[in-house]
Amino acid sequence: MKNIIGLLTALLLLLSGCALLDSTDTSGTTDRIDVEVTSVIDGDTIKIMYEGKEETVRYLLIDTPETNHPRLGEQPLGSEATVENKRLIESGDVSVEFDVGDRFDDYGRLLAYVYVNGESVQEQMLKSGFARVAYVYPPNTRYVEEFEEAEQIAQEAGIGIWEFENYSTDRGFNADAYGDVSRQSPQDSVDGECQIKGNINRSGDKIYHLPGEGSYEQTNPEEWFCTEQEARDAGFRSTGS
């Protein structure tokens, strides 16, 4: 009798655990989920129907030039990257794969690897020279080595963002280094001396981060500032405030 009760208890615990599991929980696996794409936002962002609602998906581990940034505006090759992403997305069946880390970023966007007919969209964007490897935050780093190899192919060919030296940087894209600088006014470019990151979190709080602070490297900035006063004038506060 005790054995039967023990088995029933174990079964109930197992069933309860299964009921609590989130249906999006693919951590530790390479499962891919078929999705419907509703729109292509830019070179590294799309919208999909996922679990009955529309979600924005930010591609993991890559970054492409902006097309409609609130401060940077349209960066060189931003439109071209969007067109290439749209071409890839519309060429077949789309699926997404999650990594083992956070499923959403601070802006409520899903973080995923994206595939069309089983081929990595990230890798294709990197090989074509429209993207750089970026925002490498463990543990969401499953394909970083493959992506770096794809990036190197475009670098060696000198195509896309690699056509002009110093256009693609560790901090993003420097329009002043691109050949067609007329597409962006000087005030839109990031001054090499401006290293203070302005970030707006999911709650709408404006916080600036100084080089050397613990969260500095992981922060994806909406704006760059040259001085703390400039950041405060723009409505941002320090991490300690």
Side-chain angles (χ1 to χ4, degrees), residues 221-232:
E222 276 74 46
E223 297 192 42
W224 291 93
F225 301 106
C226 298
T227 66
E228 290 189 72
Q229 186 59 53
E230 182 182 343
R232 288 192 290 268

Side-chain angles (χ1 to χ4, degrees), residues 11 50 53 64 110 140-141 153 166 176 187 190 208 233:
L11 181 60
Y50 179 73
K53 61 182 293 189
T64 64
L110 280 171
N140 284 342
T141 58
I153 292 172
N166 298 324
D176 287 340
Q187 61 266 31
V190 177
Y208 66 83
D233 290 344

Side-chain angles (χ1 to χ4, degrees), residues 140-158:
N140 284 342
T141 58
R142 179 177 295 153
Y143 299 115
V144 66
E145 292 183 3
E146 291 90 335
F147 288 2
E148 287 174 344
E149 290 175 2
E151 178 186 66
Q152 189 173 359
I153 292 172
Q155 279 184 296
E156 292 176 351

Side-chain angles (χ1 to χ4, degrees), residues 8-217:
L8 289 173
T9 301
L11 181 60
L12 287 172
L13 288 172
L14 178 61
L15 290 174
S16 298
C18 290
L20 290 172
L21 283 176
D22 185 348
S23 59
T24 65
D25 186 6
T26 57
S27 297
T29 77
T30 55
D31 293 345
R32 295 176 189 171
I33 303 167
D34 294 334
V35 296
E36 174 192 351
V37 177
T38 57
S39 63
V40 174
I41 305 302
D42 55 29
D44 53 33
T45 313
I46 58 176
K47 285 183 178 292
I48 66 172
M49 290 305 299
Y50 179 73
E51 295 195 331
K53 61 182 293 189
E54 189 176 56
E55 297 279 6
T56 300
V57 176
R58 177 62 166 83
Y59 293 4
L60 277 168
L61 300 180
I62 72 166
D63 181 38
T64 64
E66 301 285 353
T67 56
N68 191 31
H69 192 278
R71 185 176 63 84
L72 299 176
E74 180 180 336
Q75 296 177 308
L77 293 179
S79 293
E80 291 85 342
T82 302
V83 169
E84 177 63 9
N85 188 27
K86 185 177 176 66
R87 183 190 70 80
L88 293 170
I89 290 296
E90 294 180 347
S91 67
D93 297 325
V94 179
S95 58
V96 297
E97 173 189 334
F98 300 113
D99 212 323
V100 298
D102 290 339
R103 188 64 48 81
F104 291 89
D105 67 8
D106 288 341
Y107 309 102
R109 302 175 298 184
L110 280 171
L111 300 171
Y113 303 108
V114 181
Y115 299 85
V116 174
N117 294 336
E119 298 293 324
S120 169
V121 174
Q122 275 105 315
E123 280 196 45
Q124 293 178 78
M125 292 294 293
L126 290 162
K127 287 179 179 177
S128 65
F130 288 121
R132 68 187 182 102
V133 175
Y135 307 125
V136 181
Y137 303 138
N140 284 342
T141 58
R142 179 177 295 153
Y143 299 115
V144 66
E145 292 183 3
E146 291 90 335
F147 288 2
E148 287 174 344
E149 290 175 2
E151 178 186 66
Q152 189 173 359
I153 292 172
Q155 279 184 296
E156 292 176 351
I159 58 176
I161 62 174
W162 309 107
E163 182 178 357
F164 292 92
E165 186 177 3
N166 298 324
Y167 174 55
S168 176
T169 74
D170 291 341
R171 291 173 51 183
F173 301 97
N174 176 20
D176 287 340
Y178 195 80
D180 186 10
V181 295
S182 63
R183 294 177 60 181
Q184 184 172 0
S185 59
Q187 61 266 31
D188 287 334
S189 65
V190 177
D191 190 313
E193 297 302 317
C194 300
Q195 299 182 18
I196 299 174
K197 294 181 177 182
N199 173 256
I200 304 174
N201 64 25
R202 198 182 306 177
S203 302
D205 296 327
K206 294 183 175 182
I207 301 172
Y208 66 83
H209 303 260
L210 301 173
E213 291 181 342
S215 57
Y216 182 83
E217 294 299 328

